[in-house]
Amino acid sequence: KNEKMKKTFNVPDMYCSNCVMHLEGLEDEIPGVKSVSASYKKLIMEVDFDESKVTIEDIIAAAVEIGYHPEPVNS
């Protein structure tokens, strides 16, 4: 069963379109992530993912590996 989830993260260390490109590239790196949509103007990243395949911690860890520190926004 697919548990689709959308989560928003604050990403304070994103400051240009290059950062956006790097973060949106995570959708190809992490199995279970459907899409990543980032905005450096708003300093947020929205991730669509399948909860049965990937955790919020996995997503954060992958972002940290490429130099960003996303914080989940409680919604």
Side-chain angles (χ1 to χ4, degrees):
K1 149 181 162 210
N2 279 1
E3 293 298 327
K4 284 189 79 171
M5 178 159 177
K6 192 178 203 121
K7 188 75 186 164
T8 302
F9 298 85
N10 286 321
V11 190
D13 41 15
M14 171 170 46
Y15 54 87
C16 66
S17 55
N18 227 17
C19 301
V20 168
M21 209 172 63
H22 286 157
L23 286 163
E24 291 183 347
L26 289 174
E27 69 187 53
D28 301 323
E29 303 296 318
I30 314 169
V33 170
K34 304 268 182 291
S35 72
V36 178
S37 170
S39 165
Y40 71 91
K41 288 190 174 81
K42 295 181 188 161
L43 297 179
I44 62 166
M45 157 173 99
E46 287 182 330
V47 183
D48 256 326
F49 63 100
D50 181 339
E51 262 190 311
S52 66
K53 293 185 182 150
V54 66
T55 66
I56 287 171
E57 288 74 23
D58 293 335
I59 294 164
I60 292 172
V64 167
E65 256 180 52
I66 60 168
Y68 302 97
H69 299 85
E71 294 148 14
V73 176
N74 294 327
S75 50

